[in-house]
Amino acid sequence: MTLWPSLPYNSEETLLSFADRLSVMHTGCGMERLLRDLGINIEHFISGREEAVGAFAEASGLRVHDVQKGAIRVFPRGASFRGEYISKTFLSPRAARYCPSCLAEDGQMADHRFRLIWGFRHVARCDRHSSWLVDAAYKNETSLRLAMGSEMPEEPQAAKSGTPDYLFWLRTRLDGGSLPGNHWIDSQTLEQVLAASEMLGATLEHGHRVATKKLSAAQTEEATDIGFSIYREGLEAVADALDTIRMTSPASAVQAGPLAHYGKLYDWLHRRSNTVDPGPIRDILRDHIVKNSAVEPGTKVLGVEVTERKYHTLQSLSAEVDIPRVRLSRVLKRLGQLPEDATEVDCGNAVFEAAKTVPMVEAFKSAVRLQDVPDYLGASKGQFEALYRIDIVKPLIPRTGRGSVRHVVFSRAHLDDFLRSLEELPLLADDAEGDFHPIAYACQRGAGLFEDVFVDIQAGKICGYRHSDKVGIGSVYVDVSSLSKFKKSA
């Protein structure tokens, strides 16, 4: 059986609203009467089951695909809308609110349509007329006819602020379109985008302890719009917002956890978003926590185990490098990782990048003292001072750094790299033809300043050789006769 005449259907209206209007036209009664006449289970239809929706579409002469756009599938613990799994509170098929201006355009009460967009929790105004939605007298009804009862629509209340961008985006998505330059959010569900936007904006606007359920409709709209302006820009913008949230946290102790640093945003992602996938915001926050906190390997952060340490506290770094805390804090001050005037509390609250700080401290532990470097390099004191002066041999603490004058030490790895570069010189053969002598001898015979000759050897301008029985700079030999000719030609 196909109903005739039928009403034109627009997916802007909920399926339940359309079914009620169609029933009033044919039976003079509400939706339940028509569904019974068509042999469709009322509860199955209200909960959006596919077989019930399909039977209604066939009876009303409509395409199933079109009708399903206005249907909301309700489950015991969640819901589904256009293939996206959502929470029950995110979108309701019940006619709880309305726009008086829209109803005035509809005409008679029998023609009043409950718009799908009014059912979204984050929608507090009509995006067509920029007026606040009005609460219906009875909020748990399936149609505006029943929700409003015998009351007339209230007068519209104009919203003073402009329509939020997220409402324009939501309208575009519901109409099957997308905004240019928003590919990142277009790949996410409606709830993932709006819920993440709300929590970001609410935390930034109302602080870490914000109770989103206690915000007014206007405050929720403002918070969602603030968060949406950030969220739609992508990963880097969200990470910058998390920087701000962490910096404005009242937590100051190093042992403070992510709940203290990120507030209800973390609480939402940690405990209250397990039913519905919150989307990429969870991964972004997890990465931010790991990059900015001293998370122990093996710790689970937002459901994922951290396998690699990114940051150390003074305590964990002390255990890692086997240096007592007090001494380690002095070392870190010398290395420029802590301010010179940092107190014990400041040191305890600081965090240090593991990949950078651990090798630096290890290098400091095994560093060679200034007075021991010439012997380590097989050089005279004068030769070392010349190389030090032209920055070929560099101290562990830069000469412009704090403590650089009183604590001149050299990384053993840096000195070993220097010695390895000398080992790359060609080996001096026993039967080599020429007047070969150590570089020091050549410089004493007028070849030039030691540092100039050494730099030319490194640059390949002068042929240098390595004596197999000697080490370090003492192993570098040159052909004095050839060097004299090179000097004259230069």
Side-chain angles (χ1 to χ4, degrees):
M1 180 182 73
T2 301
L3 293 174
W4 188 89
S6 187
L7 293 173
Y9 178 69
N10 189 320
S11 57
E12 184 182 79
E13 180 181 12
T14 64
L15 178 59
L16 300 185
S17 172
F18 174 79
D20 191 76
R21 291 195 302 114
L22 187 63
S23 180
V24 169
M25 184 180 74
H26 280 277
T27 69
C29 300
M31 174 181 64
E32 291 81 358
R33 171 63 184 275
L34 179 62
L35 293 176
R36 280 195 296 267
D37 291 346
L38 295 175
I40 298 174
N41 184 289
I42 296 173
E43 292 302 321
H44 290 182
F45 183 77
I46 292 176
S47 62
R49 290 197 182 186
E50 289 186 9
E51 64 275 13
V53 173
F56 177 81
E58 182 179 358
S60 55
L62 301 172
R63 294 193 306 172
V64 176
H65 175 73
D66 293 337
V67 173
Q68 285 178 336
K69 287 185 177 180
I72 301 168
R73 178 72 173 98
V74 180
F75 304 105
R77 294 188 178 182
S80 177
F81 174 65
R82 297 184 182 178
E84 297 179 0
Y85 191 77
I86 59 176
S87 59
K88 276 189 172 182
T89 58
F90 176 66
L91 172 60
S92 172
R94 303 288 178 171
R97 299 175 297 172
Y98 65 91
C99 168
S101 299
C102 286
L103 298 192
E105 293 175 356
D106 290 342
Q108 299 297 322
M109 182 176 293
D111 297 323
H112 287 175
R113 295 178 295 144
F114 180 69
R115 274 66 167 176
L116 181 66
I117 198 170
W118 298 344
F120 287 90
R121 183 175 64 83
H122 297 87
V123 177
R125 72 169 75 196
C126 173
D127 60 314
R128 305 289 196 200
H129 300 97
S130 196
S131 60
W132 298 113
L133 298 181
V134 177
D135 289 337
Y138 308 98
K139 297 184 178 180
N140 200 35
E141 300 294 344
T142 57
S143 68
L144 278 174
R145 181 181 57 83
L146 296 175
M148 296 179 65
S150 59
E151 295 185 2
M152 296 297 294
E154 295 187 15
E155 291 295 320
Q157 303 173 20
K160 295 181 180 178
S161 58
T163 302
D165 288 342
Y166 78 87
L167 285 185
F168 181 62
W169 170 80
L170 176 59
R171 169 72 69 180
T172 304
R173 277 280 293 260
L174 291 177
D175 291 342
S178 62
L179 301 181
N182 282 275
H183 302 300
W184 187 66
I185 59 175
D186 286 342
S187 64
Q188 301 175 46
T189 69
L190 295 172
E191 185 168 11
Q192 286 173 347
V193 174
L194 294 183
S197 298
E198 177 189 16
M199 290 307 303
L200 274 176
T203 306
L204 289 168
E205 187 71 6
H206 299 283
H208 290 62
R209 296 183 179 180
V210 59
T212 53
K213 292 183 179 180
K214 295 183 179 180
L215 297 179
S216 67
Q219 287 175 322
T220 298
E221 178 188 84
E222 181 185 27
T224 306
D225 192 39
I226 291 171
F228 182 78
S229 67
I230 297 168
Y231 196 73
R232 67 180 177 184
E233 296 300 323
L235 300 176
E236 292 184 4
V238 176
D240 289 343
L242 294 178
D243 287 340
T244 302
I245 289 173
R246 189 180 178 97
M247 286 188 295
T248 55
S249 166
S252 57
V254 69
Q255 64 268 25
L259 180 60
H261 287 302
Y262 303 95
K264 289 301 179 69
L265 174 63
Y266 174 81
D267 181 60
W268 167 60
L269 292 171
H270 179 57
R271 295 192 304 111
R272 296 190 290 116
S273 64
N274 295 322
T275 304
V276 178
D277 179 11
I281 182 68
R282 177 181 281 164
D283 295 333
I284 299 172
L285 179 57
R286 182 189 304 110
D287 290 344
H288 200 271
I289 292 171
V290 173
K291 289 178 181 178
N292 292 277
S293 303
V295 180
E296 294 284 346
T299 304
K300 275 194 172 183
V301 179
L302 296 176
V304 176
E305 183 177 322
V306 176
T307 58
E308 180 183 1
R309 179 187 287 279
K310 297 290 186 181
Y311 282 83
H312 274 291
T313 62
L314 185 64
Q315 181 69 32
S316 63
L317 184 60
S318 173
E320 177 81 12
V321 299
D322 194 25
I323 298 178
R325 280 186 56 176
V326 176
R327 182 181 167 217
L328 179 59
S329 63
R330 291 197 296 266
V331 170
L332 292 170
K333 288 178 181 179
R334 295 172 191 171
L335 294 173
Q337 299 302 299
L338 282 171
E340 281 287 350
D341 57 352
T343 64
E344 186 176 348
V345 174
D346 295 333
C347 295
N349 287 337
V351 291
F352 309 93
E353 188 177 350
K356 174 183 177 183
T357 310
V358 172
M360 188 181 296
V361 174
E362 293 286 6
F364 192 86
K365 280 179 62 179
S366 62
V368 180
R369 297 179 302 170
L370 176 68
Q371 59 268 35
D372 297 330
V373 176
D375 285 343
Y376 196 90
L377 297 181
S380 68
K381 182 179 179 182
Q383 288 172 335
F384 159 67
E385 289 177 347
L387 296 177
Y388 176 51
R389 186 170 56 251
I390 62 175
D391 279 339
I392 288 182
V393 178
K394 300 178 181 180
L396 181 60
I397 302 175
R399 286 191 250 187
T400 55
R402 291 187 291 267
S404 60
V405 176
R406 292 177 289 115
H407 306 283
V408 182
V409 292
F410 294 79
S411 166
R412 194 174 297 271
H414 171 59
L415 298 181
D416 289 344
D417 286 341
F418 175 82
L419 292 174
R420 275 192 288 272
S421 71
L422 299 182
E423 292 176 359
E424 294 176 0
L425 293 174
L427 193 63
L428 180 62
D430 293 336
D431 57 350
E433 295 182 359
D435 189 15
F436 289 96
H437 293 278
I439 186 174
Y441 178 89
C443 293
Q444 291 170 0
R445 294 297 179 272
L449 295 175
F450 163 75
E451 57 266 36
D452 293 338
V453 175
F454 188 84
V455 168
D456 285 341
I457 292 174
Q458 283 192 320
K461 296 179 180 179
I462 294 176
C463 292
Y465 298 86
R466 177 173 57 86
H467 196 291
S468 60
D469 295 334
K470 300 180 183 296
V471 295
I473 291 179
S475 69
V476 180
Y477 275 58
V478 292
D479 183 353
V480 176
S481 57
S482 299
L483 194 59
S484 300
K485 296 177 182 178
F486 173 80
K487 179 76 173 176
K488 292 177 180 178
S489 63

